[in-house]
């Protein structure tokens, strides 16, 4: 997957690219490209946003700035999905992650302050996506959430077996994973369920099925 993120802070993604599973698939299944709106803005002094028409607080990301960024990178409107990150978007679920993961190319637009000029979402994007019903200060944490969620669905991202049976997966019928435990078997009188210590694989499987939430 070629995943292009447009942002004002490309350097903020350094941490993400060092972490698994993103680090594991970078350069093979994942080509993550980071673009700064400032590098291609047609305005002077790296300006990218402006005061809202009608008045009010904050600054709004300009449509000409985003159009210039897309034109520079794609030579026009990209022929693939372009996702605006905004609290007004479709809420991100595992189902939506599975829908996006097979895309060969995906572009993600992050904003800040008051967000996008609505014409960006309307005319330059195919999708608007929210990571939840709350407001964050910018779209970079949402972009990183999306990159991580997509990266772990790419081939080779996870150790064999660890990505199939997990919360929201078809194997668990879209439900939440059973409780997991590790050593010590008892801590402050809190005991791991005996069945998990039994070594009986079939019994453990039955217990896990019963404890899917
Ligand atoms: C402070 S927010 C803008 C909030 C906007 N004025 C509103 O009332 O909905 C700035 C930017 O952060 C990003 N953002 C904030 N919360 C988000 C969320 N829940 N999901 C996705 N992106 C979000 C978006 O890119 C947004 O344009």
């Amino acid at each position: 997957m070629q995943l292009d993120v447009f942002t004002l802070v490309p350097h903020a993604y350094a941490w993400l690219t060092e972490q698994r599973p993103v680090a594991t698939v970078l350069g093979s299944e994942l080509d993550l490209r980071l673009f700064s709106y400032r590098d291609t803005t047609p305005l002077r002094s790296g300006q990218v946003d402006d005061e809202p028409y009608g008045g009010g607080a904050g600054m709004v990301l300009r449509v000409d700035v985003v159009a210039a960024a897309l034109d520079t990178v794609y030579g026009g409107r990209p022929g693939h999905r372009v996702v605006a990150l905004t609290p007004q978007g479709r809420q991100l679920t595992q189902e939506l992650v599975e829908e996006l993961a097979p895309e060969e190319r995906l572009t993600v637009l992050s904003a800040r302050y008051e967000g996008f000029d609505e014409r960006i979402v309307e005319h330059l994007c195919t999708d608007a996506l929210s990571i939840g019903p709350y407001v964050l200060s910018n779209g970079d944490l949402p972009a990183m959430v999306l990159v991580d969620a997509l990266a772990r669905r790419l081939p080779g991202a996870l150790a064999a077996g660890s990505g199939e049976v997990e919360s929201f997966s078809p194997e668990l019928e879209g439900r939440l994973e059973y409780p997991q435990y590790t050593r010590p078997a008892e801590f402050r009188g809190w005991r791991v369920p005996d069945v998990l210590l039994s070594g009986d694989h079939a019994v453990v499987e039955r217990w896990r099925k019963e404890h899917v939430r």
Side-chain angles (χ1 to χ4, degrees):
M1 171 185 266
Q2 181 184 283
L3 188 41
D4 294 342
V5 180
F6 289 75
T7 170
L8 284 162
V9 287
H11 57 276
Y13 292 72
W15 173 85
L16 179 73
T17 59
E18 288 163 4
Q19 308 302 311
R20 284 195 223 157
V22 174
T24 311
V25 288
L26 260 186
S28 53
E29 293 292 330
L30 179 65
D31 178 13
L32 178 65
R33 305 193 303 173
L34 300 163
F35 298 102
S36 169
Y37 298 116
R38 285 198 205 290
D39 290 344
T40 49
T41 178
L43 308 174
R44 282 193 303 179
S45 313
Q47 186 189 347
V48 294
D49 40 25
D50 227 317
E51 295 160 358
Y53 278 126
M59 299 291 271
V60 177
L61 186 59
R62 286 177 53 137
V63 64
D64 50 351
V65 168
V66 175
L70 296 177
D71 285 351
T72 304
V73 173
Y74 305 113
R77 204 178 167 156
H80 56 263
R81 287 169 86 163
V82 178
V83 177
L85 293 166
T86 163
Q88 290 90 47
R90 174 180 169 194
Q91 214 161 106
L92 185 64
T93 58
Q94 191 61 36
E95 197 184 355
L96 180 51
V97 171
E98 305 298 337
E99 179 187 317
L100 294 174
E103 298 285 342
E104 275 180 28
R105 292 192 167 146
L106 193 67
T107 292
V108 176
L109 305 183
S110 167
R112 64 172 183 178
Y113 300 140
E114 284 309 308
F116 297 101
D117 181 308
E118 191 60 24
R119 291 169 292 182
I120 297 169
V121 182
E122 218 173 288
H123 300 291
L124 300 179
C125 297
T126 57
D127 299 77
L129 191 156
S130 162
I131 65 157
Y134 42 80
V135 179
L136 296 164
S137 307
N138 58 63
D140 294 294
L141 288 173
M144 289 187 217
V145 166
L146 181 60
V147 172
D148 183 275
L150 290 172
R152 63 200 314 287
R153 301 315 300 158
L154 297 178
L158 304 177
S162 65
E164 287 96 52
V165 184
E166 61 180 5
S167 297
F168 312 112
S169 65
E171 282 75 1
L172 298 186
E173 295 164 351
R175 294 162 67 197
L176 300 173
E177 195 185 54
Y178 41 80
Q180 301 268 20
Y181 299 89
T182 187
R183 295 185 182 88
E186 183 163 346
F187 180 72
R188 295 184 179 167
W190 309 325
R191 259 194 79 69
V192 170
D194 286 336
V195 64
L196 299 179
L197 308 174
S198 68
D200 185 331
H201 190 65
V203 175
V204 170
E205 277 310 296
R206 199 176 322 127
W207 183 92
R208 287 182 166 168
K209 271 202 183 110
E210 286 165 8
H211 288 79
V212 167
R213 296 170 265 195

